[in-house]
Amino acid sequence: DATRSSVWVKRGVGVRADGQDRVTTTVTVRDDTGKALSGRTVRVEVSGEGNTVAQPAGTSDSNGMAVASVVSTQPGSKQVAASVEDQGGRVVLDEKPTITFVSPPAAKLGFLTTSLSATAGEPVEPVVEVAVQDQIGRTITSASNQVSLSLAAGPASAELEGTLTAQAVNGVARFPQVVLKQAGSGYQLKATSSGLDDGVSPTFEVAPAAPASIALGLPASVAGGGVACAVVSIRDALGNVATNYRGTVRFTSTDPQAVLPADYAFTAADNGTKSFAVTSNKVGSWEIRVEDVSTPSLAAGGSVTVQPGAATQLI
């Protein structure tokens, strides 16, 4: 009997919509005289989205009872409906109690991205996402807090640029344009929002951009026959040492008697910087130049004055 049968929920209000807070639902099947009916197939359904009904179909026991439980990840008032399979077809019970699910309280921020990387001057990848979470780390999909980003760790002179404030949508704040221009390691981002514990990102590195220039360091002068230390450093457009440079460099000099290094291919161990020995034998001011063999525009030059050595003999 649809009227004499009953549907009862143990707790109908203040249930957390966290997918964990469980509400027991008991269905009692009776006939039109009020007698409990055992062995009847019972099905429990809950309206709305985000619901999970455990044991949604069961058989009534000797007391006519069948038990189910409900959890939800979406807040709102949900109606519980039960039906019983009978010889004449499915009977939907009249009683339809409601359960009011509420959003769990926000407690902290958490980075959803477990691995970050970046190239100097380009947005951090993948897109930085920060979730508003409850105490045990579940995202609160109803949250719309304003979240801000800053640097938690990294080189002392580094600056975070780009979109650094975002509003959470469905509990998640997205930052598609977060830029760091200084290459380096040990970077971490920090997310803050009023009233919530801060979140800290995984540690990541910022790689230099593509090689754009060569810096050549030379001494101002050397004695004739002396060795000048030429320091070659490859840089990106932002001034970072291009540790990713794997090109080959070649030396030339206006000194016809200079002893120059052979062509050299940079390796990972060089980290974008290498010292070379240049021997100048002829007194005067001479230019020393270094360039990338494949990209001659990637070049630098400087001058070295070759002084006479100390007097050693009379002729």
Side-chain angles (χ1 to χ4, degrees):
D1 185 88
T3 302
R4 289 184 177 272
S5 298
S6 63
V7 182
W8 175 80
V9 294
K10 185 175 182 180
R11 181 162 49 102
V13 295
V15 184
R16 295 190 305 278
D18 58 8
Q20 300 290 327
D21 198 359
R22 193 171 298 276
V23 177
T24 300
T25 301
T26 303
V27 179
T28 304
V29 184
R30 300 184 181 90
D31 63 13
D32 57 2
T33 68
K35 177 184 175 182
L37 300 176
S38 62
R40 301 302 175 96
T41 300
V42 177
R43 182 174 297 276
V44 175
E45 298 175 333
V46 180
S47 66
E49 298 180 352
N51 310 313
T52 301
V53 181
Q55 299 177 344
T59 303
S60 58
D61 61 15
S62 58
N63 294 315
M65 294 182 177
V67 178
S69 63
V70 183
V71 297
S72 185
T73 57
Q74 296 291 329
S77 182
K78 315 293 181 73
Q79 187 179 69
V80 180
S83 60
V84 181
E85 297 298 329
D86 198 17
Q87 293 178 351
R90 192 169 72 127
V91 177
V92 179
L93 306 188
D94 292 348
E95 194 169 16
K96 296 181 176 65
T98 59
I99 304 172
T100 301
F101 288 92
V102 297
S103 298
K108 62 181 181 177
L109 297 174
F111 280 80
L112 296 182
T113 332
T114 58
S115 178
L116 296 173
S117 63
T119 297
E122 299 180 10
V124 174
E125 294 182 340
V127 172
V128 178
E129 294 185 327
V130 179
V132 180
Q133 300 175 335
D134 63 15
Q135 193 60 51
I136 60 175
R138 293 184 293 252
T139 299
I140 300 173
T141 57
S142 60
S144 59
N145 303 56
Q146 181 172 286
V147 181
S148 297
L149 282 186
S150 60
L151 271 180
S157 57
E159 294 184 4
L160 193 64
E161 301 179 17
T163 304
L164 304 182
T165 301
Q167 203 81 23
V169 177
N170 296 326
V172 178
R174 300 180 80 253
F175 300 86
Q177 293 292 329
V178 177
V179 177
L180 288 155
K181 293 182 178 179
Q182 184 171 334
S185 59
Y187 277 102
Q188 276 186 304
L189 304 178
K190 180 171 70 173
T192 58
S193 184
S194 178
L196 302 179
D197 291 344
D198 298 343
V200 179
S201 78
T203 302
F204 64 98
E205 294 185 3
V206 176
S213 65
I214 296 180
L216 176 61
L218 294 168
S221 64
V222 294
V227 176
C229 180
V231 181
V232 177
S233 180
I234 316 300
R235 309 265 176 179
D236 66 14
L238 298 170
N240 297 298
V241 176
T243 56
N244 52 354
Y245 178 69
R246 299 293 180 271
T248 297
V249 295
R250 175 175 295 160
F251 281 85
T252 58
S253 176
T254 55
D255 178 0
Q257 298 181 17
V259 180
L260 301 174
D263 291 0
Y264 180 81
F266 273 69
T267 68
D270 296 322
N271 286 318
T273 300
K274 176 76 174 175
S275 295
F276 298 89
V278 177
T279 303
S280 294
N281 293 305
K282 190 173 178 62
V283 174
S285 182
W286 310 105
E287 183 184 6
I288 296 174
R289 184 174 176 81
V290 62
E291 66 179 33
D292 182 281
V293 171
S294 300
T295 311
S297 60
L298 196 62
S303 61
V304 175
T305 299
V306 180
Q307 306 284 359
T312 59
Q313 61 182 319
L314 293 174
I315 296 177

